[in-house]
Amino acid sequence: DDYPKTGGYYLLVRDRSESPGIGSETAATRREHIEMVVAGCIDAEFDAYRALPAIDEAKLQRWFADDRPDYGDFIHTLKQMARRGWILTNPHNPSTKRLMAIKVNEILNGEAAVRTTEYWYLRWWSTSEGKYRYPYRETNRQTYILAQRGDDWLVRENIRPAPRSSTPHRQR
């Protein structure tokens, strides 16, 4: 009775992380869970960019394996953006991201490969210059490699192509 209702439908929210049956889930629910982890990872990455200049690694470690090959690179990128004074939270900043498609390609021996199509628009504002400094707008396909840790999954690797439309620091 206390769940929200609209159009005759009720919203039911279930926290799967505390479900006792997670270890005995079916292949379909395992795939759904892995898709949810990848979507959470994408949200965490975007939230980390929006939180700059603050960097909260604890929020990222919920989704990313900190022993992943590119975790250090991601933290370094966040620190560089913070050092430059680049942010996404200036008034009317249009930055956004969208997960357009997701497919779990393979689950084998505690690892999963997931393919996504994502749209990212990050319009970096320079606080020192008072203007937009770098626009990143890409729709691309990314591959996520996840590792199972206990009953949960963490992103070990995110393989993404180099930007097509805008390349910062390109040699002239």
Side-chain angles (χ1 to χ4, degrees):
D1 290 338
D2 58 341
Y3 283 106
K5 176 184 173 185
T6 183
Y9 293 94
Y10 289 91
L11 171 68
L12 176 63
V13 179
R14 180 173 59 130
D15 183 5
R16 294 182 55 148
S17 65
E18 298 182 13
S19 294
I22 275 243
S24 61
E25 62 188 355
T26 67
T29 58
R30 183 178 304 122
R31 284 182 182 278
E32 288 174 9
H33 181 71
I34 290 170
E35 289 174 359
M36 188 260 327
V37 170
V38 171
C41 166
I42 293 166
D43 290 342
E45 181 178 353
F46 185 73
D47 291 345
Y49 292 140
R50 288 189 54 84
L52 288 173
I55 299 171
D56 186 358
E57 287 191 52
K59 286 184 179 179
L60 297 172
Q61 289 172 349
R62 162 64 183 95
W63 305 102
F64 299 99
D66 55 6
D67 63 341
R68 73 183 236 201
D70 58 348
Y71 182 77
D73 291 341
F74 179 55
I75 296 300
H76 177 74
T77 299
L78 290 173
K79 289 179 181 177
Q80 288 296 333
M81 297 297 193
R83 183 183 60 75
R84 289 180 188 147
W86 287 11
I87 61 170
L88 300 177
T89 53
N90 59 303
H92 309 294
N93 188 305
S95 296
T96 188
K97 51 86 181 129
R98 177 172 292 147
L99 175 60
M100 299 170 68
I102 186 167
K103 181 180 181 200
V104 178
N105 287 339
E106 183 178 34
I107 303 172
L108 184 64
N109 298 329
E111 283 198 349
V114 179
R115 187 90 162 148
T116 64
T117 302
E118 301 174 27
Y119 169 76
W120 286 82
Y121 180 42
L122 305 175
R123 189 139 184 205
W124 292 103
W125 175 266
S126 173
T127 56
S128 61
E129 297 174 57
K131 65 178 185 177
Y132 286 107
R133 188 69 176 97
Y134 174 64
Y136 173 87
R137 184 188 307 238
E138 294 284 330
T139 299
N140 58 29
R141 291 181 179 221
Q142 300 188 30
T143 301
Y144 292 84
I145 307 298
L146 286 77
Q148 190 170 17
R149 301 280 168 88
D151 288 338
D152 211 355
W153 294 84
L154 296 174
V155 174
R156 278 206 24 82
E157 198 169 355
N158 180 5
I159 304 164
R160 68 182 89 197
R164 291 184 311 256
S165 63
S166 56
T167 306
H169 314 299
R170 132 179 76 216
Q171 293 194 7
R172 296 174 190 201

